Amino acid sequence: MGILLAGFDPHYIIRQSRNSDENLQALAQFFTISQEQAQGLLNTPHLLDD
């Protein structure tokens, strides 16, 4: 909460090593989309490939 009060924008992290629920929440919040839409993004081939 302190970061938001300081005026910094929130940040979101998706990682290959995180479970899909954590990545789903991060994508949905970042893009302000539904969880169903975020799931569609997570299903994108090679999304988390280097």
Side-chain angles (χ1 to χ4, degrees):
M1 195 63 119
I3 251 179
L4 294 176
L5 294 176
F8 292 104
D9 291 331
H11 66 278
Y12 307 95
I13 299 171
I14 61 170
R15 289 192 178 132
Q16 203 169 19
S17 61
R18 293 180 93 182
N19 72 45
S20 60
D21 286 337
E22 291 173 315
N23 286 334
L24 180 95
Q25 291 300 321
L27 282 175
Q29 291 173 352
F30 179 78
F31 289 114
T32 317
I33 57 176
S34 70
Q35 289 189 358
E36 291 79 18
Q37 291 170 310
Q39 185 63 54
L41 289 174
L42 280 177
N43 291 339
T44 302
H46 311 293
L47 177 66
L48 299 174
D49 289 353
D50 289 338

